[in-house]
Amino acid sequence: MSTRDLHLRLSQTQRVRLEAALHELQTLAPAAAAAVNVADNIPVNHEDSILKGHGTSDRDGEVVATVCGVVERVQSLVRVRTLRARYKPEIGDIIVGRVIEIAPKRWRLEINFSQGAVLMLSSVNLPDGVQRRRTAVDELNMRSIFAENDVVCAEVRGYLPDGSLELHASSQKYGKLQRGQLLTVPAYLVKKWNQHFHHLKQYNVDLILGCNGFIWVGEHVVVAENTDVKEDQQKLAMEADNFTPIETRRHICRLANAVRVLSALGFTLTVELIIQTSEASLSSTVETNKMLGAEFYVQTAEREAKRRADSLRKMNGAR
């Protein structure tokens, strides 16, 4: 990351401060994770049972990297996470997409992948909540479930013979996303965690970090399993008549701008860092629209450099 990549109108002082913060972040990066190039050896303990994951290979009994990136170790699994790479779907990934076409018995979605994604009618919950075989009437009413340009959350089920992805949204936590903002960031900035759905109670906001680089920030939606169908429909009708409170809208915009700033700086997006950036703008009395100004970018880079330096000193002190 360099100041040229940000395309900001920086004063001379701001440019010097930002370059100093980015330089410090680069010097701290090797301490957090080992960067490797193609054919570099990855040090492992051969007495342990090692599982070679993505980006690694076996050469003369040694584990070598097949891509440029950062070495990640999860228990006995060793893999290399490529930097600035396109999204590579894996089964079980939580993704956010936009409906681009309604085809017979399926929706086609844009999910920031080289191939398309397909969501079958049989893989979604019907509005009446009844689990049954889909009929011709259901197929005619597909647009009432998801229409073109609707934002949808789903899970990767697998690959189809033509190379496109098959999705499913058969759980209550998946489905149409409304009353919020859809953001697009480089997919490599979103790490795969056990939890990609986050309810930020203090803001009444839902944050979904899609593995494909699509991030949703929207008004919180209560997900209730096994609810009465008529009661559920009445609640949905009442919600449709209500507007998102202005305070919730402000929180959505502030959190969305925090994501934009962190993404532009090339920081890995975590819910903790997004909240910290949003809270920092509040404590500094920075207006929501001013968060995208040059000064807040500089402050965010300086704050993250300080946080990582403090964390490194604590780790060294604990040893």
Side-chain angles (χ1 to χ4, degrees), residues 39-66:
D40 283 354
N41 284 344
I42 300 174
V44 296
N45 187 355
H46 294 284
E47 296 180 358
D48 298 333
S49 56
I50 298 298
L51 296 176
K52 293 180 286 294
H54 293 288
T56 65
S57 182
D58 193 333
R59 185 182 66 184
D60 299 330
E62 298 290 336
V63 180
V64 298
T66 58

Side-chain angles (χ1 to χ4, degrees), residues 8 15 40 46 118 122 134 145 149 170 172-173 181 207 209-210 236 258 268-269 273 312:
L8 293 172
R15 187 177 300 277
D40 283 354
H46 294 284
V118 171
S122 58
R134 280 31 173 184
I145 304 175
N149 292 321
S170 54
Q172 291 290 340
K173 63 182 179 181
Q181 293 190 32
L207 174 65
L209 302 176
L236 290 173
T268 300
L269 297 172
L273 187 56
L312 183 60

Side-chain angles (χ1 to χ4, degrees), residues 254 257-258 261 277 281 286-293 296-297:
R254 193 170 288 275
N257 279 352
V261 171
T277 305
S281 69
V286 177
E287 296 181 8
T288 305
N289 61 324
K290 298 295 184 182
M291 291 175 66
L292 301 181
F296 190 72
Y297 276 87

Side-chain angles (χ1 to χ4, degrees), residues 58-246:
D58 193 333
R59 185 182 66 184
D60 299 330
E62 298 290 336
V63 180
V64 298
T66 58
V67 295
C68 298
V70 176
V71 178
E72 292 184 341
R73 302 173 191 268
V74 182
Q75 296 179 351
S76 59
L77 176 67
V78 178
R79 64 186 180 188
V80 178
R81 178 169 59 90
T82 54
L83 302 178
R84 298 181 180 270
R86 292 183 62 88
Y87 170 58
K88 296 181 180 179
E90 295 181 7
I91 295 175
D93 280 0
I94 306 299
I95 61 97
V96 177
R98 187 185 292 277
V99 177
I100 57 175
E101 181 186 356
I102 301 177
K105 297 184 180 180
R106 69 191 66 194
W107 294 269
R108 299 190 186 279
L109 277 69
E110 163 58 32
I111 63 163
N112 196 29
F113 180 49
S114 56
Q115 298 288 335
V118 171
L119 179 60
M120 303 297 295
L121 175 61
S122 58
S123 299
V124 303
N125 286 321
L126 295 177
D128 57 15
V130 179
Q131 298 295 325
R132 56 176 172 77
R133 294 178 64 87
R134 280 31 173 184
T135 64
V137 175
D138 295 324
E139 188 173 351
L140 290 173
N141 294 329
M142 284 177 60
R143 189 168 274 102
S144 65
I145 304 175
F146 302 133
E148 291 89 344
N149 292 321
D150 279 352
V151 180
V152 178
C153 179
E155 182 178 325
V156 176
R157 171 176 281 179
Y159 285 87
L160 295 174
D162 63 355
S164 58
L165 283 182
E166 182 181 8
L167 310 174
H168 82 88
S170 54
S171 171
Q172 291 290 340
K173 63 182 179 181
Y174 304 130
K176 186 189 295 187
L177 301 174
Q178 303 179 86
R179 299 184 180 181
Q181 293 190 32
L182 176 65
L183 308 170
T184 303
V185 304
Y188 62 84
L189 295 180
V190 182
K191 290 189 67 174
K192 296 180 182 179
W193 305 93
N194 293 331
Q195 182 60 265
H196 285 261
F197 297 89
H198 302 280
H199 173 205
L200 310 184
K201 296 181 181 179
Q202 66 270 41
Y203 305 126
N204 191 35
V205 167
D206 285 335
L207 174 65
I208 303 177
L209 302 176
C211 295
N212 58 328
F214 284 0
I215 294 179
W216 176 258
V217 186
E219 184 181 3
H220 174 59
V221 177
V222 178
V223 178
E225 299 279 356
N226 301 322
T227 56
D228 183 78
V229 175
K230 291 184 179 179
E231 290 182 2
D232 218 23
Q233 291 176 343
Q234 289 175 356
K235 288 180 182 178
L236 290 173
M238 291 176 62
E239 289 177 0
D241 295 334
N242 297 328
F243 291 101
T244 303
I246 188 66

